[in-house]
């Protein structure tokens, strides 16, 4: 039976629809508008071909009000992603991105939030040549608690190696945070969740550990911290932060490639990302990692990281953009 929706109806993928995002005021092509007004055409190029680029940023409450974590680095990566996708005219400058993001956080009077800037090819023409299309820009903010749930942080997340691989560097632009790339992450996460796990671990084309569906991976062994090398992974800003925070606390850090069996035998494995922050891993492929619980190093690292983002570690105040 064909169901024709009446005006205002929206088809949901699932009958138990989620409650929806409370984004309040959204920066939409140069001005702040209420969420209901920040809408686009169904002919938007990015909807058909995944030709969007985005960032995921967090703001945290500090003694001096809300602070956005490593905003210039996120803006720089957004510009890099836009360049990789061949977006030429209409890309906001770093200063414009900065102002739009600060204005959106301010307008919503948020202290703790997730921030999602997005650039995408508009609806002027379809087909695989978006060169003449407009580039549009929005910034939305909303409250976002622990990425994989409180249990994942408390007990350690349970991962499974995905049957999906990370795309090789000559198949997809692995350093761009592009919408289309995330079909890979969605499929991997979907599979992991369907099997009862918290998150997917993806390998690269050669079988080396790449990253989580939305996080970078670290190994701990004999007190040394091993970030998994970049290869086809997103060049994570949290990964960089964690390396530098660990070094400031005197931890030895050595970047490495790793096979999945090296994760099984690590003392600890944890993952990091703007959304995931620092999340311990208790289990991979039904094998306990270390003691099979959130490990002491990961929990210490998480505490150090949360000190930095909340402005409690003065050595890293440069990383905070205060929203006065
Ligand atoms: N790898 C992937 C594939 C990834 O998506 C992220 C961020 C990272 C690594 C870590 O990058 P960084 O945030 O710079 O430390 N994932 C974002 C999107 C999550 C989502 O579900 O959406 C994020 O954490 O904001």
């Amino acid at each position: 039976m064909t169901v024709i929706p009446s005006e205002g109806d929206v088809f949901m993928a699932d009958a138990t629809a989620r409650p929806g995002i409370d984004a309040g005021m959204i920066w939409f092509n140069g001005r702040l508008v209420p969420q209901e007004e920040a809408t686009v055409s169904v002919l938007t190029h990015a909807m058909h071909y995944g030709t969007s680029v985005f960032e995921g940023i967090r703001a945290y409450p500090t003694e001096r009000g809300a602070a956005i974590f490593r905003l210039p680095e996120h803006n720089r990566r957004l510009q890099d992603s836009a360049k990789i996708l061949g977006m030429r005219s209409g890309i906001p400058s770093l200063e414009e991105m900065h102002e739009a993001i600060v204005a959106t956080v301010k307008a919503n009077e948020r202290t703790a939030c997730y921030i999602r800037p997005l650039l995408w090819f508009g609806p002027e023409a379809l087909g695989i040549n978006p060169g003449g299309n407009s580039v549009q820009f929005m910034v939305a903010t909303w409250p976002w608690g622990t990425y994989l749930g409180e249990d994942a942080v408390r007990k350690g997340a349970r991962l499974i190696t995905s049957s999906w691989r990370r795309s090789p560097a000559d198949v997809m632009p692995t350093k761009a945070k592009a919408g289309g790339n995330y079909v890979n992450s969605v499929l991997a996460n979907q599979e992991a969740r369907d099997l009862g796990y918290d998150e997917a671990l993806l390998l690269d084309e050669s079988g080396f550990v790449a990253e989580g569906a939305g996080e970078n991976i670290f190994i701990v062994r004999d007190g040394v911290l091993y970030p998994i090398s970049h290869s086809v992974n997103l060049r994570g800003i949290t990964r960089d932060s964690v390396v530098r925070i660990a070094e400031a606390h005197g931890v030895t850090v050595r970047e490495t490639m790793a096979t999945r069996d090296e994760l099984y035998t690590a003392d600890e494995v944890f993952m990091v990302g703007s959304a995931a922050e620092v999340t311990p891993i208790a289990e991979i492929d039904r094998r306990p990692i270390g003691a099979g619980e959130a490990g002491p190093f990961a929990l210490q690292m998480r505490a150090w990281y949360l000190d930095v983002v909340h402005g409690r570690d003065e050595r890293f105040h440069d990383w905070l953009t205060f929203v006065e």
Side-chain angles (χ1 to χ4, degrees):
M1 187 182 78
T2 313
V3 180
I4 300 166
S6 61
E7 209 180 323
D9 278 358
V10 178
F11 282 115
M12 293 295 179
D14 191 292
T16 55
R18 289 170 164 185
I21 301 169
D22 176 19
M25 297 297 283
I26 294 180
W27 185 273
F28 188 54
N29 290 328
R31 61 195 185 95
L32 282 161
V33 300
Q35 179 172 344
E36 310 74 60
E37 289 172 31
T39 55
V40 296
S41 162
V42 291
L43 299 180
T44 296
H45 197 275
M47 272 184 69
H48 295 248
Y49 307 109
T51 48
S52 61
V53 295
F54 66 97
E55 274 303 315
I57 313 171
R58 275 188 191 267
Y60 293 89
T62 74
E63 266 185 357
R64 291 171 52 193
I68 304 171
F69 189 58
R70 302 202 72 177
L71 181 55
E73 290 84 352
H74 283 283
N75 288 339
R76 175 64 201 269
R77 191 171 65 189
L78 184 58
Q79 282 222 330
D80 290 348
S81 297
K83 192 172 187 178
I84 293 169
L85 258 77
M87 293 176 175
R88 292 191 185 89
S89 57
I91 301 167
S93 66
L94 292 173
E95 294 71 32
E96 284 164 344
M97 287 176 179
H98 183 102
E99 275 163 32
I101 289 167
V102 170
T104 310
V105 173
K106 240 187 211 171
N108 291 289
E109 294 176 9
R110 302 217 192 267
T111 47
C113 66
Y114 186 76
I115 305 167
R116 169 57 52 82
L118 181 82
L119 282 163
W120 69 97
F121 278 120
E124 293 77 9
L126 287 173
I128 55 168
N129 170 18
N133 288 33
S134 60
V135 173
Q136 307 199 13
F137 177 52
M138 78 96 197
V139 182
T141 60
W142 66 88
W144 200 350
T146 48
Y147 188 52
L148 298 174
E150 286 297 330
D151 261 11
V153 171
R154 237 168 5 95
K155 299 187 197 157
R158 298 172 56 245
L159 266 60
I160 187 143
T161 302
S162 185
S163 66
W164 297 96
R165 299 288 183 103
R166 261 293 178 246
S167 307
D170 58 352
V171 173
M172 291 296 265
T174 62
K175 293 298 176 280
K177 207 167 164 62
N181 288 0
Y182 278 80
V183 172
N184 179 250
S185 290
V186 167
L187 289 171
N189 181 271
Q190 231 168 37
E191 180 188 59
R193 297 259 174 195
D194 285 350
L195 292 169
Y197 295 87
D198 297 313
E199 181 60 305
L201 172 74
L202 288 111
L203 307 179
D204 69 14
E205 195 189 17
S206 318
F208 288 97
V209 173
E211 58 189 336
E215 311 87 357
N216 288 122
I217 305 279
F218 281 84
I219 294 176
V220 182
R221 195 176 168 103
D222 297 329
V224 177
L225 180 61
Y226 296 94
I228 300 298
S229 49
H230 291 302
S231 70
V232 294
N233 307 336
L234 189 70
R235 208 174 272 278
I237 292 165
T238 317
R239 177 187 184 279
D240 177 69
S241 308
V242 163
V243 165
R244 288 159 68 178
I245 296 165
E247 282 173 346
H249 284 278
V251 176
T252 305
V253 180
R254 282 193 215 122
E255 190 170 299
T256 188
M257 287 174 75
T259 51
R260 63 197 277 187
D261 42 332
E262 287 176 296
L263 300 194
Y264 299 162
T265 55
D267 295 337
E268 290 185 34
V269 182
F270 63 90
M271 52 193 180
V272 309
S274 300
E277 298 168 314
V278 176
T279 302
I281 295 172
E283 177 191 320
I284 303 176
D285 298 343
R286 293 179 294 281
R287 289 166 178 80
I289 305 303
E293 57 192 22
F297 188 96
L299 291 175
Q300 174 65 263
M301 197 64 243
R302 180 175 170 83
W304 285 338
Y305 180 76
L306 292 178
D307 277 346
V308 169
V309 298
H310 287 95
R312 296 189 295 256
D313 187 338
E314 282 182 9
R315 294 172 292 183
F316 296 101
H317 271 190
D318 284 0
W319 285 350
L320 306 178
T321 298
F322 292 98
V323 181
E324 309 280 356

